Amino acid sequence: MESLGSHLLLSTALIFVIEGLIYALFPGHVQLMMKFVTEMTPERLRYFGASMIALGVLLVFVIQKFLNYF
C-alpha cells in the first residue's frame, strides 16, 4: 500500500516535469505570460491563484471518483 507521503512526492515530481516541458516547448509564450502576470494587480493574481487551487481540488476529487468507479 502506498503512503500519502509517496503520493505527495510523486505529485511534486510530476509538477516539475510538466512545468519543465512547458518552459522547454514554449519559452516565448512563458515570457509573455510572465510579463502579463507582473502587470496584474495583487488582488486579481490572488483571485487567479485561488481559482486554480479550487480547480485542482475539484479535478483531484473527480479523478479519484472516476478511478474508483472502475
Side-chain angles (χ1 to χ4, degrees):
M1 185 167 161
E2 296 181 22
S3 68
L4 176 62
S6 65
H7 284 284
L8 290 174
L9 287 174
L10 179 62
S11 299
T12 303
L14 287 172
I15 289 170
F16 283 119
V17 169
I18 292 168
E19 283 201 26
L21 281 170
I22 292 170
Y23 286 123
L25 297 175
F26 309 105
H29 292 295
V30 171
Q31 286 177 324
L32 288 173
M33 184 180 62
M34 287 182 183
K35 182 180 177 192
F36 177 72
V37 168
T38 59
E39 294 172 353
M40 290 176 77
T41 64
E43 293 81 21
R44 187 168 179 184
L45 191 56
R46 186 174 293 116
Y47 177 76
F48 179 74
S51 299
M52 295 302 289
I53 291 169
L55 178 62
V57 169
L58 179 65
L59 283 173
V60 166
F61 178 75
V62 168
I63 290 169
Q64 283 182 336
K65 290 295 181 184
F66 179 75
L67 291 177
N68 288 335
Y69 181 72
F70 293 103

